[in-house]
């Protein structure tokens, strides 16, 4: 969008696209969570409609079901607009500062840099004080509440089972409004059963020096997705399909391929 200046062309928005490629992460590697991994994702660019959030969530949920994975669960939350998050961030810093000495090393750093990430911690979330932390839903303004209410209503209409998780924030600062993750019931995966996730990020394009452009998207980590399918016995070899189909264009090519 930014580097190719698609916003200055005659592209019809919303623009829907997909990608597949290598990604590198800074965090410590874990089981099914590698330093370098492959990611498949979809993006819907140019629409601020809550229904576009639902379309992306529906795509993700039906993809996992189509692959044969069972027990697929969609977890959603709203982290509101910029004003809502600013008020919530202040409340989190005030609350967790009282328990600073009990926070893990990563969360002590997050308290200063990005306190919302504390809610995503798999270490501190087991501690007693964590349960009483402020909830983002108490700090959403009316616009943010209305957006999330439409998302929830539409998910019900299209029959997507979901669970509202008030501690779900996703890891990147540019997210706003709807955020979501997709889990599957995979034996032996434990806490690593999140196979994909995403959300809305209306300021990302402008932060990269493009125009204000609403966006929503999601991605699957292919490595973990393949591990999940392997664990469920869904990667059985199937030879009942076409491996190669040659299309000849022009008489010269047709003669060559028919020899």
């Amino acid at each position: 969008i930014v580097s190719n200046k698609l916003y200055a062309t005659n592209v019809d928005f919303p623009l829907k696209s997909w990608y597949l490629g290598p990604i590198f992460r800074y965090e410590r590697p874990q089981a099914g969570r590698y330093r370098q991994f492959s990611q498949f994702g979809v993006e819907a660019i140019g629409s601020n409609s809550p229904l576009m959030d639902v379309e992306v969530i529906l795509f993700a949920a039906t993809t996992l079901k189509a692959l044969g994975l069972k027990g697929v669960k969609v977890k959603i939350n709203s982290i509101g607009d910029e004003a809502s998050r600013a008020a919530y961030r202040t409340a989190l810093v005030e609350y967790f500062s009282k328990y600073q000495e009990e926070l893990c090393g990563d969360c002590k750093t997050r308290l200063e840099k990005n306190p919302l990430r504390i809610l995503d911690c798999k270490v501190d979330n087991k501690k007693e004080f964590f349960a009483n932390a402020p909830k983002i839903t108490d700090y959403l303004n009316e616009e943010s509440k209305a957006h999330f209410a439409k998302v929830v209503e539409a998910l019900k209409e299209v029959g997507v089972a979901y669970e509202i998780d008030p501690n779900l924030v996703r890891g990147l600062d540019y997210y706003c409004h709807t955020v979501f993750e997709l889990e599957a019931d995979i034996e032996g995966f434990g806490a690593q059963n999140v196979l994909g996730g995403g959300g809305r990020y209306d300021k990302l394009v402008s932060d990269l020096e493009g125009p204000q452009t609403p966006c929503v998207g999601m991605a699957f980590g292919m490595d973990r997705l393949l591990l999940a399918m392997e664990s469920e016995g869904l990667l059985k070899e199937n030879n009942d399909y076409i491996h190669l189909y040659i299309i000849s264009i022009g008489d010269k090519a047709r003669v060559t391929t028919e020899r």
Side-chain angles (χ1 to χ4, degrees):
I1 289 295
V2 178
S3 59
N4 293 309
K5 291 185 170 56
L6 292 182
Y7 52 81
T9 66
N10 293 323
V11 172
D12 290 330
F13 289 96
L15 172 66
K16 300 177 183 179
S17 61
W18 66 274
Y19 63 89
L20 174 64
I23 304 288
F24 299 85
R25 61 163 53 91
Y26 177 77
E27 294 94 338
R28 291 186 296 272
Q30 303 173 37
R33 186 177 173 84
Y34 308 124
R35 182 75 73 197
Q36 177 181 348
F37 63 103
S38 295
Q39 183 167 292
F40 168 79
V42 297
E43 315 284 343
I45 301 165
S47 172
N48 57 12
S49 170
L51 296 181
M52 190 61 71
D53 303 14
V54 175
E55 183 174 326
V56 172
I57 294 171
L58 180 61
F59 165 83
T62 53
T63 296
L64 291 183
K65 290 181 180 178
L67 291 174
L69 292 166
K70 299 177 181 178
V72 176
K73 181 189 299 183
V74 177
K75 289 190 174 183
I76 62 171
N77 192 25
S78 173
I79 56 173
D81 59 12
E82 194 171 7
S84 299
R85 289 195 310 283
Y88 185 48
R89 190 178 296 110
T90 299
L92 286 177
V93 171
E94 182 179 344
Y95 179 80
F96 283 118
S97 291
K98 296 183 292 186
Y99 302 97
Q100 188 167 1
E101 295 305 314
E102 299 180 53
L103 295 173
C104 70
D106 288 339
C107 284
K108 287 178 180 177
T109 302
R110 291 166 181 159
L111 185 61
E112 297 181 5
K113 294 186 176 180
N114 186 358
L116 271 71
R117 286 293 310 278
I118 297 176
L119 302 175
D120 203 29
C121 181
K122 301 299 186 290
V123 177
D124 287 335
N125 69 358
K126 297 178 177 63
K127 297 176 182 176
E128 187 176 348
F129 65 83
F130 197 90
N132 296 319
K135 306 299 182 187
I136 181 62
T137 48
D138 295 329
Y139 295 86
L140 297 179
N141 56 26
E142 293 305 315
E143 180 181 352
S144 298
K145 288 179 181 177
H147 185 103
F148 192 53
K150 290 178 181 177
V151 170
V152 170
E153 180 182 1
L155 285 174
K156 292 178 182 177
E157 289 292 328
V158 297
V160 173
Y162 65 88
E163 174 187 328
I164 297 177
D165 183 353
N167 290 327
L168 176 59
V169 294
R170 300 292 294 161
L172 300 170
D173 294 343
Y174 53 69
Y175 279 111
C176 65
H177 290 297
T178 310
V179 291
F180 62 92
E181 290 183 345
L182 295 106
E183 299 180 356
D185 186 12
I186 309 296
E187 185 176 354
F189 265 47
Q192 301 302 322
N193 65 339
V194 176
L195 303 180
R200 179 164 286 280
Y201 38 96
D202 292 345
K203 287 193 61 184
L204 181 58
V205 174
S206 58
D207 285 347
L208 296 174
E209 300 184 357
Q212 182 68 34
T213 308
C215 307
V216 60
M218 66 77 52
F220 292 117
M222 294 301 295
D223 304 270
R224 190 179 297 182
L225 184 58
L226 289 171
L227 284 172
M229 294 180 67
E230 184 179 39
S231 297
E232 296 292 288
L234 298 172
L235 290 181
K236 298 177 181 178
E237 186 175 348
N238 180 8
N239 295 319
D240 190 22
Y241 60 87
I242 297 174
H243 290 269
L244 177 64
Y245 187 88
I246 299 175
I247 301 176
S248 55
I249 301 177
D251 290 338
K252 185 175 181 180
R254 186 173 296 111
V255 171
T256 303
T257 56
E258 289 178 354
R259 286 180 181 175

